[in-house]
Amino acid sequence: MGGAVAALVVAVLTVAGPALMVYLDFWFFLLVVNVPGIGFGIATLRKLPDPVEVERYIRYTWACTFAYAILFVLFTIPVVVLFMMMLLLTS
């Protein structure tokens, strides 16, 4: 049960990245919210009596969380490059 709760907590914490970007007025970051990971985490907790299902859904939750992290970095790199270019052009 601890692994299921940890996977769900980490999936929910991944909402902090897009929330920060929305605060900075980068609304397109809402496209990469980890909704599948959160959904699989909730499904994991609902399947607790069946250990085979729990293990499978924990793997799905972590896979979605890692895929989300990769997508977030890929979305963040162009934003950082544009920010650095703006700083260089205004100097």
Side-chain angles (χ1 to χ4, degrees):
M1 182 169 159
V5 172
L8 179 61
V9 167
V10 171
V12 169
L13 287 177
T14 59
V15 175
L20 173 66
M21 291 300 175
V22 168
Y23 176 74
L24 296 173
D25 287 333
F26 294 110
W27 293 98
F28 60 90
F29 271 86
L30 285 176
L31 297 173
V32 291
V33 173
N34 191 10
V35 174
I38 295 170
F40 282 129
I42 292 170
T44 302
L45 292 177
R46 295 185 74 207
K47 304 269 187 204
L48 277 179
D50 187 9
V52 175
E53 292 286 318
V54 168
E55 289 298 321
R56 183 168 39 144
Y57 279 103
I58 288 175
R59 282 193 307 260
Y60 292 163
T61 304
W62 283 115
C64 289
T65 301
F66 290 132
Y68 160 79
I70 292 168
L71 280 175
F72 188 77
V73 168
L74 289 177
F75 271 97
T76 304
I77 289 172
V79 171
V80 170
V81 168
L82 287 174
F83 180 72
M84 297 301 288
M85 290 184 67
M86 284 181 8
L87 283 178
L88 290 173
L89 293 175
T90 58
S91 297

